[in-house]
């Protein structure tokens, strides 16, 4: 029997080959699947990034619209007067997103910035929807200045504005669709820009990434306004764009190790989302503070510092606060960041505050901080630890955050009872009314740098700034001007009664050590100047 083979041996070999083929095919399929998942994750990240860019532009448009509507609605006695016609024409010229501004009376368009007085005022259709704050929204209406064209029209009170229909034409939208619009008071979505994307009409859709009917979506809405943006990318289009890559991955997937590598790549992509990177940075205290001088405009003397949070990820790339602070608020890390700012700023400048070489320091806080009793406890403990005067610790809230009325009002009362000074940051970019500011009982307004840039050689552009200064005088508030870069700007605000300023003219944000060197140099120079 020596040399004879078992009758089962050929079958076993065939079975072994079949199993090997199946395993090889499974590895190839796993590699392709892993690659496809990675491509979708990266595509969702790109959709989210583009949605963020569009929403930022949309919010800027909305602020410009609100400011323009409020400006003209505050002056009913000037309705279509010669003076107002000049202001309407100027508004059309200086605004970025508005093509025309009109004045309405009994649903008829009486005058506009472009057409001036209209001989036969046409009837203006009723808006298709209204937002909770009364903004009328008409997605695509014919415009008088170009009758063959249509553009979005927004209105409030006796004023309407015609928007630029090409607002988002320069956004990086290659290979994807988008939709940008308002939410009505009933929650219905009204599209102003982009294409009709079916899931946007579904009010149950939450923010963030999701997939439906073979399409990837990313929906993003403003925190304090009825604005939403959705980006979309069809999976077949995405597949065709990456067909070669998928083929290569399938071939490499014949090796078991490649399948593991593809899985690792997917896990790496997830671990390296901005949410996870920020959590890791906060847990490792891998954040830092820089300080920008606040000076007295009368003599340029440094009287305070604003603490500014900075983050560089593990690649060394600087992530702007405008990007990671909203993420921190969303994922619940803002309180840890605020605690870090308080502890670090006090450690850096407690000695300067005690010897009065620095009169005060400003810290930025969030509405979420005001809603958390632990914030007040931490602040009080750190002040007691360093034996500081609460009057030297100013707390800054952005004007947009003051929309959370009850939380902000109660929180400010608690802070003021303890002796803290309260500043409203970026004033002029939000929607605070005179009565609400009075109710908040703040100490100072910080004029946003976008308004500071309107001051300079061309004084005809100064329109809102005098009104902000008037508001401050009416309420007895101090004014801190942000973004001062030119001598002409400093001179203008000094002559207009503003007390304090910060900006590159007086110093860029610097480290605590460099800031203390400036304070020391100022202390040495003061007797000589006297």
């Amino acid at each position: 029997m020596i040399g004879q083979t078992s009758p089962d041996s050929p079958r076993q070999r065939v079975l072994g080959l079949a199993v090997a083929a199946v395993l090889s095919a499974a590895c190839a399929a796993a590699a392709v699947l892993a690659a496809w998942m990675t491509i979708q994750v990266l595509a969702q990240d790109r959709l989210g990034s583009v949605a963020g860019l569009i929403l930022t532009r949309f919010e800027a448009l909305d602020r410009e619209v609100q400011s323009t509507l409020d400006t003209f609605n505050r002056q009913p006695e000037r309705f279509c007067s010669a003076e107002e016609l000049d202001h309407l024409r100027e508004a059309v010229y200086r605004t970025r997103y508005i093509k025309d501004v009109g004045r309405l009376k009994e649903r008829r368009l009486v005058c506009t910035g472009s057409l001036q007085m209209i001989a036969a005022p046409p009837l203006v259709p009723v808006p298709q929807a209204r937002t909770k704050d009364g903004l009328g929204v008409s997605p695509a209406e014919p415009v008088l200045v170009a009758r063959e064209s249509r553009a979005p029209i927004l209105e409030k009170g006796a004023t309407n504005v015609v928007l630029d229909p090409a607002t988002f034409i320069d956004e990086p939208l290659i290979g994807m669709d988008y939709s940008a619009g308002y939410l009505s008071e009933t929650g219905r979505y009204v599209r102003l820009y982009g294409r009709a994307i079916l899931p946007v009409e579904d009010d149950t859709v939450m923010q963030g990434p999701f997939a439906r009917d073979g399409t990837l979506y990313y929906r993003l809405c403003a925190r304090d306004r009825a604005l939403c943006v959705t980006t979309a990318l069809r999976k077949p289009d995405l597949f065709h764009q990456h067909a070669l890559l998928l083929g290569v991955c399938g071939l490499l997937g014949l090796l078991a190790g490649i399948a593991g590598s593809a899985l690792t790549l997917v896990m790496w992509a997830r671990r390296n989302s901005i949410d996870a990177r920020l959590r890791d940075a906060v847990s490792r205290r891998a954040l830092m503070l820089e300080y920008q001088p606040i000076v007295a405009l009368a003599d340029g003397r440094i009287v305070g510092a604003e603490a500014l949070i900075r983050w560089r990820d593990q690649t060394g790339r600087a992530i702007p606060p405008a990007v990671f602070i909203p993420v921190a608020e969303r994922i619940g890390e803002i309180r840890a960041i605020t605690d870090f700012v308080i502890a670090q700023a006090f450690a850096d400048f407690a000695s300067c505050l005690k010897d009065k070489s620095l009169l005060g320091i400003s810290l930025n806080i969030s509405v979420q901080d005001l809603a958390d009793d632990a914030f007040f406890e931490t602040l009080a403990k750190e002040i007691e630890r360093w034996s500081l005067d609460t009057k030297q610790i100013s707390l800054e809230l952005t004007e947009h955050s003051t929309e959370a009325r009850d939380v902000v009002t109660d929180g400010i009362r608690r802070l003021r009872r303890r002796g803290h000074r309260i500043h409203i940051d970026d004033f002029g970019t939000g929607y605070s009314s005179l009565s609400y500011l009075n109710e908040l009982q703040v100490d100072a307004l910080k004029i946003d740098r976008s308004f500071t840039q309107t001051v300079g050689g061309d004084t005809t552009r100064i329109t809102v700034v005098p009104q902000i200064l008037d508001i401050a005088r009416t309420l007895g508030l101090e004014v801190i001007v942000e973004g001062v870069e030119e001598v002409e700007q400093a001179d203008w605000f000094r002559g207009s009664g503003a007390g304090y300023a910060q900006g590159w003219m007086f110093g860029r944000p610097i480290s605590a050590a460099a800031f203390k060197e400036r304070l020391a140099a100022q202390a040495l120079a003061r007797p000589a100047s006297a």
Side-chain angles (χ1 to χ4, degrees):
M1 300 296 294
I2 296 176
Q4 189 175 2
T5 60
S6 169
D8 290 334
S9 295
R11 276 202 296 268
Q12 290 175 351
R13 286 195 293 271
V14 170
L15 180 60
L17 290 174
V19 170
V22 170
L23 290 176
S24 297
C27 289
V32 171
L33 178 61
W36 178 234
M37 290 174 61
T38 302
I39 289 170
Q40 291 184 78
V41 169
L42 297 177
Q44 289 281 22
D45 286 345
R46 179 170 168 245
L47 287 169
S49 298
V50 174
L53 290 173
I54 295 175
L55 183 60
T56 298
R57 177 78 63 88
F58 199 10
E59 288 179 316
L61 177 150
D62 180 70
R63 289 194 294 270
E64 185 175 89
V65 167
Q66 293 289 342
S67 175
T68 301
L69 293 174
D70 291 345
T71 295
F72 289 101
N73 284 332
R74 282 197 298 266
Q75 306 171 15
E77 70 280 358
R78 298 183 181 180
F79 186 89
C80 287
S81 63
E83 181 182 7
E84 184 170 70
L85 291 175
D86 288 339
H87 288 169
L88 288 170
R89 183 169 51 246
E90 179 187 351
V92 173
Y93 172 77
R94 67 179 172 78
T95 50
R96 180 177 181 182
Y97 306 104
I98 295 174
K99 287 295 188 180
D100 203 0
V101 183
R103 297 286 272 150
L104 307 174
K105 187 173 184 179
E106 296 179 353
R107 300 305 310 165
R108 292 189 178 274
L109 187 63
V110 179
C111 64
T112 77
S114 298
L115 300 175
Q116 298 292 280
M117 291 299 297
I118 301 175
L123 190 64
V124 176
V126 174
Q128 293 189 17
R130 287 194 180 274
T131 63
K132 289 183 178 180
D133 63 353
L135 182 69
V137 182
S138 299
E141 294 293 335
V143 292
L144 292 180
V145 293
R147 295 183 180 277
E148 299 301 321
S149 300
R150 291 177 174 269
I153 297 179
L154 303 178
E155 73 169 58
K156 181 185 284 187
T159 309
N160 71 2
V161 293
V162 179
L163 302 182
D164 184 357
T167 292
F168 301 107
I169 199 169
D170 60 341
E171 297 293 351
L173 295 168
I174 298 175
M176 67 175 67
D177 292 325
Y178 81 99
S179 176
Y182 282 87
L183 295 177
S184 73
E185 56 189 347
T186 61
R188 181 171 66 90
Y189 176 81
V190 182
R191 176 174 56 89
L192 260 65
Y193 294 97
R195 296 178 55 186
I197 301 176
L198 181 60
V200 177
E201 308 298 335
D202 186 351
D203 296 334
T204 64
V205 173
M206 302 297 290
Q207 291 194 61
F210 64 97
R212 183 177 297 180
D213 299 331
T215 302
L216 300 176
Y217 297 93
Y218 201 106
R219 191 181 197 194
L220 205 56
C221 296
R223 288 181 299 165
D224 50 8
R225 294 289 295 158
L227 314 175
C228 284
V229 169
T230 302
T231 49
L233 181 60
R234 295 179 64 250
K235 287 185 180 180
D237 294 339
L238 184 64
F239 185 89
H240 290 312
Q241 291 172 14
H242 298 88
L244 180 60
L245 174 62
L246 291 171
V248 171
C249 288
L251 292 175
L252 295 177
L254 294 173
L255 301 174
I258 299 302
S261 299
L263 179 60
T264 302
L265 179 61
V266 173
M267 298 302 296
W268 178 88
R270 291 177 178 172
R271 285 198 304 268
N272 283 272
S273 68
I274 189 170
D275 295 16
R277 285 185 289 136
L278 181 58
R279 285 193 179 97
D280 178 65
V282 172
S283 67
R284 293 186 297 105
R285 298 178 68 84
L287 303 173
M288 61 178 292
L289 290 183
E290 290 184 339
Y291 301 90
Q292 186 169 35
I294 300 174
V295 305
L297 275 172
D299 55 11
R301 180 172 56 91
I302 297 175
V303 296
E306 180 180 1
L308 301 170
I309 189 72
R310 297 290 185 257
W311 174 35
R312 289 186 178 273
D313 64 15
Q314 291 181 321
T315 67
R317 182 181 58 173
I319 311 298
V323 173
F324 72 82
I325 290 299
V327 174
E329 291 178 331
R330 175 171 55 80
I331 66 176
E333 293 289 347
I334 193 65
R335 279 286 301 110
I337 291 177
T338 301
D339 288 349
F340 168 81
V341 171
I342 293 172
Q344 188 64 53
F346 289 3
D348 287 340
F349 285 104
S351 60
C352 298
L353 292 171
K354 289 177 183 178
D355 65 21
K356 301 301 173 63
S357 59
L358 188 68
L359 299 184
I361 189 165
S362 296
L363 310 177
N364 292 279
I365 61 173
S366 166
V367 174
Q368 293 183 20
D369 295 324
L370 295 179
D372 191 343
D373 288 337
F375 160 71
F376 295 92
E377 295 173 4
T378 298
L379 182 60
K381 288 179 180 178
E382 289 295 321
I383 288 175
E384 181 179 2
R385 174 189 175 190
W386 295 99
S387 302
L388 299 177
D389 185 348
T390 55
K391 293 181 180 179
Q392 294 178 296
I393 310 302
S394 299
L395 301 169
E396 296 189 6
L397 282 163
T398 63
E399 187 179 5
H400 294 286
S401 68
T402 62
E403 291 294 290
R405 193 175 189 119
D406 293 338
V407 172
V408 171
T409 302
D410 292 342
I412 287 178
R413 287 199 187 104
R414 292 178 66 178
L415 293 170
R416 284 180 62 86
R417 282 197 298 267
R418 297 183 179 190
H420 291 288
R421 294 173 54 79
I422 307 298
H423 299 171
I424 297 298
D425 198 9
D426 299 334
F427 187 78
T429 62
Y431 321 103
S432 295
S433 66
L434 195 64
S435 61
Y436 186 23
L437 279 177
N438 191 44
E439 179 184 341
L440 289 178
Q441 297 182 350
V442 299
D443 299 284
L445 302 181
K446 300 188 74 175
I447 296 180
D448 184 72
R449 70 182 310 275
S450 63
F451 295 110
T452 305
Q453 302 311 306
T454 66
V455 175
D458 182 9
T459 57
T460 60
R461 297 171 61 205
I462 306 172
T463 54
V464 180
V465 174
Q467 298 175 15
I468 296 176
L469 294 173
D470 287 343
I471 289 174
R473 279 191 289 269
T474 299
L475 297 178
L477 306 179
E478 292 179 353
V479 172
I480 304 171
V481 185
E482 296 183 299
V484 176
E485 299 177 3
E486 306 292 341
V487 174
E488 292 83 359
Q489 295 169 348
D491 291 342
W492 190 94
F493 279 105
R494 186 184 300 111
S496 300
Y500 304 95
Q502 61 187 103
W504 288 359
M505 174 181 171
F506 305 108
R508 296 179 179 236
I510 53 178
S511 67
F515 198 103
K516 290 177 180 179
E517 290 178 2
R518 285 199 60 181
L519 288 177
Q522 175 175 276
L524 291 174
R526 195 183 309 165
S529 62

